[in-house]
Amino acid sequence: GLVLGALGAVAVVVGAQSTGGSAAATVGVGAVAVIIAVALAAPSLSRPIVGALGSVLTRPFGAIGRLARTNSVRNPRRTAATAFALMLGLMLVSVIAVLGSTAKASVDALVDTGVEADYILSGPQSIGVPTGAGQAARDVPGVDSVAILHPVSVDIDGEEAFGVALDGSPEGLFDNSVVEGSRELTGDSMAVSESASRNEDWTLGSVVELESVDGRTVPVTVTSIYEDSPLVGDWMVSEEVYQQVTPSFVRSDIVVLVGAEPGTDLDTLRTDLEAATATFVVVQVQDREEFKGAQSQQIDTLLAVLYGLLALAVVIAILGIVNTLALSVVERRREIGMLRAVGMQRAQVRRTIYLESMLIALFGAIVGLALGVAFGWGFVRTLRDEGLDTLTIPWGQLLAMLVGSAVVGVLAALWPAIRAARTPPLEVVTEA
């Protein structure tokens, strides 16, 4: 198990240092290997971890606490098997939590450092901004500059590729740091990111043929190379090229960035922009903070759905703890009866079972959260070129999961503890 875990950890690290779909697959394979390794090594891990937890958490309970700690570590295989389902459930939850918090932090960082526009026109994620809203914004008094970003889908060298088209100038609206070539993007020119330049061997003067959906081939020339930016992706083309490679019936806008003239009252400008785009219904006029909040809300909605699905795994884990503890009570019926015969009270029997279950649940939670954070880091590193470049660990959320696991452990032990407390001491002694 330890050897397999080491190999899986190496696969995760190697995949995390790479990019692309193959790297994501590598991380996934490595994650599966690590999970299998942890399943094999869990009995060995349970003894030191549960023992350490028990020595701290059960100390206030005196002899009852020491008995619960001893019971939890004396059968490491059963302890590991009981905690494994909860371990997997919390691992998945923590991976999603890391990815979600990282996505929100990355969006915030992108807007804070890359967007300079006063207002952003956006629409539903599925349809974007309707064509025409950008032009309507240009006609509003007080508007100094407008940049419209269009989605571009073409084939390059027989493979599907996605980029953006820029209508307008990025000056004062979003960061587009050109490291080589001209800042102008007109005619048949094409701007590429540094990573795309390296990966595709595109240099200044390279001719790239874009094949449109309707089979038309449009050659473009690389005229500039810019710093990598999640906002614009790997490459940009001009409005003229966009018109040639995109049929009119599928044209849309990703986002419209609006800059105000110096001295313009921004509240008045917002009102005028909302009035000018009112006919497009779905268009929202937002400042940078509102735009960040809207994106975070979309991420939270997706996370809520995923958490709802993963809650089933946690429920199954709770049922597993209940079942295992109930079987343990049956197996230890004679032991419990002897303890009752020598003076242990029913409340003390129940407390012992509660503490055992809490230690087992915490063991599963600690290992699961540690694996989840590690895998989350691996996936974030793999997807950093897709915009997830600000790793954020939701420590508060993870701590809440840990405390919740302890509570779940106690709740799962209610019925087994009551059953154990009802063990008749005289009948058990007589059987012995």
Side-chain angles (χ1 to χ4, degrees):
L2 294 178
V3 173
L4 189 57
L7 292 175
V10 170
V12 170
V13 173
V14 170
Q17 298 300 326
S18 307
T19 56
S22 60
T26 302
V27 174
V29 172
V32 172
V34 172
I35 292 172
I36 295 174
V38 170
L40 296 175
S44 300
L45 294 174
S46 68
R47 193 179 292 274
I49 294 177
V50 174
L53 288 172
S55 63
V56 175
L57 298 179
T58 63
R59 186 179 296 275
F61 298 95
I64 296 298
R66 291 193 296 273
L67 180 61
R69 175 177 174 272
T70 301
N71 289 337
S72 299
V73 300
R74 71 179 179 178
N75 194 334
R77 289 185 178 275
R78 182 169 59 197
T79 298
T82 305
F84 191 68
L86 183 62
M87 185 190 306
L88 287 181
L90 289 183
M91 182 198 72
L92 294 174
V93 171
S94 55
V95 167
I96 297 300
V98 171
L99 291 177
S101 61
T102 297
K104 290 190 285 187
S106 298
V107 170
D108 290 349
L110 172 63
V111 175
D112 289 336
T113 62
V115 177
E116 304 165 7
D118 295 298
Y119 287 109
I120 302 169
L121 306 187
S122 62
Q125 190 173 12
S126 57
I127 63 175
V129 180
T131 301
Q135 186 57 49
R138 282 195 172 106
D139 298 333
V140 173
V143 171
D144 180 53
S145 57
V146 171
I148 305 173
L149 295 178
H150 308 292
V152 181
S153 176
V154 295
D155 284 347
I156 299 177
D157 295 331
E159 295 184 1
E160 193 173 21
F162 300 95
V164 299
L166 174 63
D167 179 5
S169 171
E171 193 68 33
L173 297 177
F174 68 89
D175 182 30
N176 183 40
S177 302
V178 175
V179 295
E180 226 182 320
S182 171
R183 297 181 62 88
E184 296 294 327
L185 194 63
T186 58
D188 64 350
S189 61
M190 177 184 190
V192 301
S193 67
E194 289 182 296
S195 60
S197 175
R198 289 191 303 268
N199 296 337
E200 304 294 338
D201 196 25
W202 290 338
T203 59
L204 294 182
S206 297
V207 176
V208 181
E209 293 188 345
L210 308 182
E211 185 177 343
S212 65
V213 177
D214 54 7
R216 180 186 304 179
T217 299
V218 178
V220 294
T221 303
V222 176
T223 57
S224 66
I225 299 174
Y226 56 86
E227 292 181 359
D228 291 355
S229 170
L231 180 64
V232 295
D234 288 338
W235 49 269
M236 288 191 298
V237 294
S238 66
E239 176 70 12
E240 292 89 334
V241 173
Y242 174 72
Q243 299 288 339
Q244 296 180 62
V245 300
T246 307
S248 58
F249 61 89
V250 295
R251 292 174 188 169
S252 64
D253 303 338
I254 301 173
V255 71
V256 177
L257 305 175
V258 180
E261 293 179 349
T264 300
D265 182 79
L266 294 181
D267 291 335
T268 302
L269 180 59
R270 174 197 282 270
T271 302
D272 293 341
L273 285 171
E274 290 174 343
T277 58
T279 56
F280 298 98
V281 184
V282 298
V283 174
Q284 291 182 306
V285 180
Q286 301 169 320
D287 58 26
R288 289 191 292 271
E289 291 301 318
E290 290 170 338
F291 182 75
K292 289 192 298 186
Q295 301 308 306
S296 295
Q297 186 175 8
Q298 291 182 12
I299 295 172
D300 287 337
T301 301
L302 176 60
L303 292 180
V305 174
L306 294 176
Y307 287 149
L309 296 175
L310 292 175
L312 296 176
V314 177
V315 170
I316 293 172
I318 295 173
L319 294 177
I321 294 176
V322 172
N323 183 57
T324 304
L325 286 176
L327 292 175
S328 174
V329 167
V330 173
E331 293 174 1
R332 292 154 49 194
R333 185 169 182 271
R334 182 174 299 175
E335 172 189 328
I336 294 172
M338 293 296 293
L339 290 173
R340 291 277 288 116
V342 297
M344 179 178 275
Q345 300 175 357
R346 288 188 174 184
Q348 292 175 319
V349 173
R350 290 195 296 268
R351 193 174 302 125
T352 302
I353 303 298
Y354 295 155
L355 292 175
E356 287 181 38
S357 181
M358 182 187 70
L359 292 176
I360 293 172
L362 284 176
F363 164 65
I366 289 173
V367 177
L369 293 177
L371 289 174
V373 170
F375 294 154
W377 170 83
F379 283 112
V380 167
R381 291 284 295 169
T382 302
L383 299 172
R384 64 186 182 277
D385 289 338
E386 305 298 325
L388 294 181
D389 55 358
T390 306
L391 177 64
T392 304
I393 308 297
W395 295 113
Q397 191 174 351
L398 298 182
L399 180 60
M401 292 181 195
L402 194 61
V403 174
S405 298
V407 174
V408 163
V410 174
L411 294 177
L414 288 177
W415 179 66
I418 293 173
R419 182 175 180 179
R422 290 176 179 173
T423 302
L426 292 181
E427 180 179 328
V428 173
V429 171
T430 302
E431 290 176 359

